[in-house]
């Protein structure tokens, strides 16, 4: 066993749950903290503490005796949650409060190592208007103009962690995630991201049916499979580079191309119908030059490989849900 005791904030979430598994495989003692249990699996954490990290008493209690903090807890979701404007106040308040609490009380408790999960949503909207040539290099973030309050909060919290590094000498690592996806993630309910949403629509659609796509389908994105994300976190923490650094794939596709890939995986013949809906910026892709320079590594898993695993998992979730709804045993 490694002697270090680690805390994963947001351990009941998608990335946090996978990160806990990875840290346990590496022999660490891990405490998980979240306001809810994991939706799809039992946590691998040695100790899982339920509570609200917005509460100072709870935040202060979970950082006690911890050597290294992984802060992934946030109020977040896909375009349907973040880009309508309906949740701006709670997104900013909840996430900022969590970061203020975790960092301050973690530092007071003697914690010296912090990982912070930022987001590609911090990049300026004016650099992402051309879907074929978005600019998302780490140094392009200023002048700041994120396209959502979620991005503004992430940008504020990056500065928060870096100020503790400068003033108090704590070790900080910051990663900007680009559209992480995979099994054990939200796939319905309004907070799911594009890969999960489209996998669900395709799995539920009858053969020769139609699925709906928000916008014209020409907006571009890159999507990173969860295993590569967790690998990137580990490599960043082992390095002497504070970041911020992109952790994402540079395999850029249009949303229509993403949908067609998932349809092909399903074996169905489906048509796309484009409808109005929140779409975010026109183009976004992970610029991986800095991560390769600093860590000697960059994500390389093909998008299709991750989609095949994710589609199979969501297909099984739908089948299980139907069995439960029908009150029968499969």
């Amino acid at each position: 066993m490694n002697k270090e005791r680690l805390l994963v904030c947001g351990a009941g979430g998608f990335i946090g749950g996978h990160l806990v598994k990875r840290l346990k495989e590496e022999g660490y003692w891990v405490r998980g903290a979240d306001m809810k249990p994991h939706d799809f699996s039992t946590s691998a954490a040695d100790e899982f503490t339920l509570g609200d990290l917005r509460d100072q008493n709870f935040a202060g209690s979970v950082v006690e005796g911890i050597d290294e903090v992984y802060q992934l807890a946030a109020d977040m979701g896909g375009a349907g949650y973040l880009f309508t404007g309906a949740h701006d106040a709670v997104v900013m308040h909840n996430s900022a409060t969590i970061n203020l609490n975790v960092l301050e009380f973690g530092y007071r408790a003697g914690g010296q190592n912090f990982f912070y999960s930022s987001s590609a949503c911090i990049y300026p909207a004016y650099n992402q208007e051309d879907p074929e040539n978005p600019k998302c290099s780490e140094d392009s973030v200023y002048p700041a103009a994120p396209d959502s309050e979620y991005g503004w909060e992430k940008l504020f919290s990056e500065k928060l962690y870096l100020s503790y590094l400068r003033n108090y000498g704590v070790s900080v690592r910051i990663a900007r995630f680009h559209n992480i996806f995979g099994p054990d993630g939200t796939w319905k309910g309004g907070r799911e991201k594009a890969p999960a949403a489209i996998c669900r629509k395709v799995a539920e659609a009858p053969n020769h049916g139609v699925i709906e796509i928000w916008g014209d389908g020409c907006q571009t994105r890159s999507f990173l499979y969860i295993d590569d994300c967790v690998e990137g976190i580990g490599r960043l923490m082992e390095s002497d580079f504070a970041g911020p650094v992109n952790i994402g794939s540079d395999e850029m596709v249009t949303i229509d191309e993403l949908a067609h890939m998932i349809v092909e995986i399903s074996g169905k013949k489906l048509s796309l119908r484009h409808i109005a809906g929140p779409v975010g910026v026109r183009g976004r892709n992970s610029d991986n030059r800095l991560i390769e320079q600093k860590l000697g590594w960059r994500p390389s898993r093909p998008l299709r490989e991750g989609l095949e695993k994710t589609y199979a998992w969501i297909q099984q979730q739908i089948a299980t849900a139907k069995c439960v709804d029908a009150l029968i045993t499969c």
Side-chain angles (χ1 to χ4, degrees):
M1 286 285 292
N2 288 302
K3 293 182 179 179
E4 288 183 305
R5 294 165 60 89
L6 312 186
L7 169 67
V8 176
C9 300
F14 167 50
I15 302 175
H18 281 273
L19 179 60
V20 168
K21 292 178 186 177
R22 171 66 176 263
L23 295 173
K24 284 302 302 173
E25 289 170 359
E26 294 176 354
Y28 292 101
W29 185 94
V30 180
R31 175 183 294 152
D34 209 317
M35 64 192 309
K36 65 174 185 63
H38 199 283
D39 290 329
F40 306 109
S41 63
T42 301
S43 177
D46 296 278
E47 179 181 298
F48 192 99
T49 307
L50 285 173
D52 191 340
L53 289 163
R54 294 171 300 179
D55 181 274
Q56 292 186 353
N57 290 328
F58 178 70
S61 69
V62 296
V63 296
E64 287 294 333
I66 294 298
D67 301 301
E68 199 161 88
V69 176
Y70 291 77
Q71 194 341 56
L72 293 92
D75 190 345
M76 59 84 64
Y81 183 73
L82 295 179
F83 299 142
T84 65
H87 309 103
D88 288 349
V90 294
V91 164
M92 293 197 78
H93 173 270
N94 291 343
S95 295
T97 304
I98 290 169
N99 283 307
L100 288 163
N101 285 346
V102 169
L103 185 53
E104 173 65 14
F105 289 101
Y107 166 68
R108 288 188 194 179
Q112 290 296 306
N113 299 290
F114 294 85
F115 169 82
Y116 174 58
S117 59
S118 186
S119 167
C121 289
I122 69 165
Y123 287 115
Y126 59 75
N127 281 338
Q128 300 171 89
E129 296 175 355
D130 181 351
E132 296 184 3
N133 296 288
K135 183 178 182 182
C136 296
S137 57
E138 289 83 353
D139 60 0
S140 71
V141 71
Y142 295 105
D147 69 334
S148 67
E149 265 52 35
Y150 176 77
W152 280 108
E153 188 281 323
K154 287 292 188 183
L155 193 58
F156 160 77
S157 290
E158 282 193 7
K159 302 298 282 186
L160 174 69
Y161 280 83
L162 291 172
S163 69
Y164 272 64
L165 181 154
R166 288 192 305 274
N167 293 161
Y168 301 137
V170 299
S171 175
V172 169
R173 300 290 183 269
I174 300 172
R176 294 172 180 166
F177 292 159
H178 286 248
N179 293 313
I180 314 304
F181 76 99
D184 290 342
T186 301
W187 58 275
K188 64 177 181 177
R191 294 197 184 216
E192 67 276 17
K193 295 187 177 180
I198 297 175
C199 282
R200 185 196 72 246
K201 292 177 181 181
V202 170
E204 292 178 336
N207 198 23
H208 301 288
V210 178
I211 63 168
E212 294 181 337
I213 301 294
W214 288 345
D216 61 11
C218 296
Q219 62 270 34
T220 55
R221 294 291 188 276
S222 63
F223 302 95
L224 183 68
Y225 190 65
I226 182 63
D227 289 357
D228 274 345
C229 175
V230 173
E231 177 69 20
I233 294 172
R235 289 175 179 262
L236 179 60
M237 291 300 285
E238 292 169 1
S239 77
D240 58 2
F241 180 53
V245 66
N246 291 328
I247 294 184
S249 169
D250 56 8
E251 183 184 348
M252 188 173 71
V253 295
T254 67
I255 297 300
D256 273 2
E257 288 172 338
L258 175 69
H260 286 305
M261 194 178 296
I262 295 170
V263 170
E264 186 176 297
I265 289 169
S266 76
K268 298 179 181 179
K269 294 189 180 300
L270 302 173
S271 301
L272 309 183
R273 177 189 299 133
H274 297 97
I275 64 171
V279 296
V281 295
R282 288 296 291 166
R284 178 172 290 153
N285 190 31
S286 184
D287 185 322
N288 287 346
R289 291 174 294 177
L290 185 63
I291 193 170
E292 186 167 32
Q293 174 191 339
K294 295 296 185 178
L295 305 187
W297 174 85
R298 62 196 295 162
S300 59
R301 185 187 302 267
L303 173 60
R304 184 181 176 106
E305 181 182 324
L307 288 175
E308 288 173 348
K309 295 179 180 180
T310 305
Y311 181 80
W313 181 80
I314 290 177
Q315 190 176 40
Q316 181 58 52
Q317 296 301 303
I318 293 170
T320 301
K322 287 180 179 178
C323 290
V324 171
D325 290 344
L327 298 177
I328 63 173
T329 302
C330 292

